[in-house]
Amino acid sequence: MAIKQKGKSLQARDAQLADTFFQLKVLNGKEISDQKYPPFAEQVGSTTDHTVLRPIYPEIFQINIGKLCNQTCAHCHVDAGPDRKEENMDRATLVRCLEILDQTQIKTVDITGGAPEMNAHFRWFVEECSKRDITVMNRCNLTILRANKKYHDLPQFFKEHGVHIISSLPYFSKKRTDSQRGDGVFEDSIAALKALNEVGYGVEGSGLLLDLVYNPAGAFLPGDQADLESEFKRQLAERFDITFNSLFAITNMPISRFLEYLISSGNYEDYMTELVNAYNPSTVDGLMCRNTLSVSWDGYIYDCDFNQMLDLKVSAASQHIDDFDIEALMQRSIVLNQHCYGCTAGAGSSCGGETV
Amino acid sequence: MSNKSYFNPDDLKKFGNITEFQEELGKKFFDYYAAVFEDGALTKREKSLIAIAVAHTVQCPYCIDAYSHDLLQKGVDEESMMEAVHVAAAIKSGATLVNSVQMMNHVKNVSM
């Protein structure tokens, strides 16, 4: 079934919020809302031992391979969509990423987008990582597997290379899924999950990992990850005979299109207040910005994918993969801003779900 | 514009302030409240569904807001929430109708 898009990207609409500096002004009470929240960096400084937040040696090399996507989800922090045809990583940049992986001790690559599979070099890059015994995590939106015949063999390709699949599924019902991601997404997602199960993904004993990402379809925080996982497992098994490994509960970050939704629905201040009130200092040690390096389609380096989308480059001389210097990056302080409350609320949030 | 209504959604955020006028009893209430909603013989999810049903019967708008939000966070679907409210509605209407037996008794007692 064809997906009905939720709309166009902020960039295609030339929306004010397409400007990342404008987004930062909103988050800091200088545009749209005059509500001020305690500065995140000061909050961390006063509640933890981290007067400055420093990284540990990177464990995950996260590559945002491009903004092209077959969906235009209402909450997308990347502002991805079918209209983002220009910002996609080329072969030379991917070659440079492989050189860095060869020179460092990083053993995991986390490929995200957009829909990573739409990048023309995606399969080649996965094969190159596979040759190097590097674990590949692929953030798959599921519907891409059903979008076109040329993608139908991807489950088999993933299996051949032992790719760890991390799939977005906001809910086990059509209504809440389609309201966030577009009409038709739920049915295609279920078909894709079945196709992944068929080749062994998410099936006990296969060794092929299929994890799901849950993020709330609205202005509320995710509940307990273990409870949500058990409910998703029960519902998907009963309704569709689908199995998976783990569920990652991820908090929606108040940036990009989700920020637009919060503002237009009148929920921005309540949502920020909820995030700030749920600040949990014990999440700080495990923040993903401490063990991850995030690389954009054009080769710039960021502390995380969210900083990347706000164009907050690493605070180090080594800001581009052409000047990659692991020593300099290890000395950096992580760039913090008000959106970071999204990763420290409750049990914490990261690309791998809860952090405490 | 002044807000002169008896119900102000923002007051829910101030619920904790009831300890200001009676600290000891307020604190005991909140400790008890927190303990009630922990996992026990019933899960937290089941307790929240009971809470939304009761919230409707006691017609507490604060409780309805609070537990609608809580159930969304817990990943409960709309159908389950509405079924819980129907349980409350069925008991309420049943409680009304079962008293009609008394009405019928009286009518029959005094009628020829």
Side-chain angles (χ1 to χ4, degrees):
Chain A
M1 173 178 173
I3 294 168
K4 188 179 175 197
Q5 300 296 330
K6 295 290 294 177
K8 290 186 175 179
S9 66
L10 294 170
Q11 191 193 60
R13 284 181 276 132
D14 203 17
Q16 216 168 11
L17 283 166
D19 176 358
T20 56
F21 189 59
F22 185 80
Q23 290 184 45
L24 287 167
K25 281 189 181 174
V26 174
L27 290 167
N28 286 277
K30 292 174 183 165
E31 289 284 358
I32 296 181
S33 166
D34 58 5
Q35 190 81 33
K36 299 265 196 311
Y37 303 94
F40 182 79
E42 287 178 22
Q43 184 88 284
V44 171
S46 63
T47 56
T48 70
D49 295 333
H50 301 278
T51 46
V52 172
L53 196 60
R54 301 271 186 204
I56 60 172
Y57 192 89
E59 294 163 342
I60 298 170
F61 197 72
Q62 188 174 59
I63 300 174
N64 194 308
I65 203 164
K67 300 190 181 191
L68 184 61
C69 191
N70 60 317
Q71 295 178 187
T72 318
C73 301
H75 72 300
C76 183
H77 72 276
V78 179
D79 194 28
D83 55 54
R84 303 301 296 265
K85 297 184 193 308
E86 304 301 319
E87 301 104 324
N88 288 287
M89 198 173 271
D90 60 20
R91 178 74 74 109
T93 309
L94 285 164
V95 167
R96 180 69 193 119
C97 288
L98 289 169
E99 287 169 1
I100 289 168
L101 290 166
D102 289 338
Q103 292 160 9
T104 62
Q105 304 304 312
I106 307 172
K107 293 291 172 205
T108 302
V109 166
D110 182 345
I111 309 176
T112 187
E117 302 86 351
M118 293 177 84
N119 184 299
H121 314 291
F122 171 77
R123 293 193 195 218
W124 166 82
F125 183 69
V126 171
E127 285 163 357
E128 288 300 313
C129 289
S130 184
K131 282 181 200 166
R132 290 165 167 79
D133 257 348
I134 288 169
T135 302
V136 175
M137 298 158 80
N138 180 48
R139 296 193 180 265
C140 175
N141 71 12
L142 291 174
T143 62
I144 191 66
L145 305 184
R146 312 306 304 162
N148 186 299
K149 274 186 183 168
K150 68 180 174 181
Y151 301 121
H152 286 188
D153 66 330
L154 273 170
Q156 191 60 37
F157 172 81
F158 293 147
K159 179 181 179 176
E160 281 163 19
H161 297 284
V163 177
H164 176 175
I165 301 298
I166 301 169
S167 292
S168 321
L169 188 72
Y171 207 55
F172 44 76
S173 78
K174 178 176 168 58
K175 185 180 174 188
R176 229 182 270 180
T177 300
D178 288 0
S179 72
Q180 182 186 84
R181 305 173 85 80
D183 288 344
V185 166
F186 184 71
E187 283 169 23
D188 280 2
S189 298
I190 293 299
L193 284 169
K194 282 180 179 286
L196 287 164
N197 275 174
E198 269 171 30
V199 300
Y201 270 100
V203 177
E204 201 174 342
S206 70
L208 296 169
L209 291 177
L210 170 61
D211 294 330
L212 296 187
V213 167
Y214 161 84
N215 56 287
F220 54 96
L221 306 187
D224 181 81
Q225 182 168 280
D227 289 348
L228 286 164
E229 180 181 293
S230 122
E231 184 64 4
F232 266 67
K233 284 196 167 171
R234 185 175 74 85
Q235 295 277 1
L236 288 176
E238 281 178 10
R239 296 183 191 200
F240 308 106
D241 199 23
I242 285 169
T243 56
F244 65 94
N245 296 100
S246 300
L247 179 131
F248 302 152
I250 298 186
T251 303
N252 283 315
M253 201 55 55
I255 64 173
S256 196
R257 292 212 290 263
F258 188 67
L259 178 59
E260 181 187 46
Y261 156 75
L262 289 174
I263 293 166
S264 64
S265 64
N267 283 305
Y268 170 70
E269 291 180 355
D270 281 348
Y271 189 77
M272 282 303 292
T273 302
E274 200 171 352
L275 285 182
V276 172
N277 288 345
Y279 170 74
N280 177 359
S282 66
T283 60
V284 175
D285 280 349
L287 287 176
M288 65 177 173
C289 50
R290 300 192 65 222
N291 75 342
T292 303
L293 284 175
S294 161
V295 179
S296 61
W297 67 276
D298 50 357
Y300 283 96
I301 305 168
Y302 302 82
D303 298 304
C304 71
D305 203 45
F306 302 120
N307 278 8
Q308 182 181 142
M309 297 316 147
L310 287 169
D311 200 23
L312 298 169
K313 296 182 177 71
V314 282
S315 177
S318 174
Q319 286 196 329
H320 193 275
I321 54 172
D322 288 344
D323 311 308
F324 190 87
D325 178 348
I326 190 68
E327 298 304 323
L329 287 165
M330 288 294 294
Q331 298 302 314
R332 79 190 194 276
S333 59
I334 289 164
V335 178
L336 304 174
N337 211 298
Q338 297 303 77
H339 64 293
C340 299
Y341 278 111
C343 287
T344 56
S349 180
S350 72
C351 289
E354 289 183 354
T355 56
V356 290
Chain B
M1 191 178 78
S2 65
N3 180 9
K4 287 199 172 184
S5 90
Y6 283 101
F7 170 64
N8 179 356
D10 283 341
D11 284 348
L12 181 58
K13 296 169 194 157
K14 302 173 190 164
F15 188 16
N17 298 352
I18 65 162
T19 52
E20 187 183 328
F21 281 12
Q22 225 298 358
E23 187 173 359
E24 188 189 349
L25 293 178
K27 191 174 175 308
K28 279 183 175 172
F29 165 76
F30 285 118
D31 288 345
Y32 165 74
Y33 192 99
V36 164
F37 281 90
E38 286 299 319
D39 276 327
L42 297 176
T43 63
K44 288 180 185 170
R45 182 178 183 277
E46 288 164 339
K47 289 178 179 181
S48 289
L49 281 164
I50 294 169
I52 196 82
V54 175
H56 281 74
T57 60
V58 297
Q59 295 177 315
C60 168
Y62 302 104
C63 312
I64 293 171
D65 277 1
Y67 282 93
S68 301
H69 205 76
D70 179 70
L71 286 163
L72 281 170
Q73 290 192 337
K74 286 186 164 66
V76 176
D77 58 286
E78 290 84 345
E79 200 179 353
S80 302
M81 293 186 213
M82 190 56 88
E83 282 187 19
V85 177
H86 274 292
V87 171
I91 294 296
K92 269 245 174 192
S93 54
T96 303
L97 287 171
V98 75
N99 279 280
S100 67
V101 178
Q102 188 173 346
M103 174 268 286
M104 290 166 73
N105 288 343
H106 183 84
V107 170
K108 285 176 182 173
N109 281 344
V110 298
S111 299
M112 294 173 78

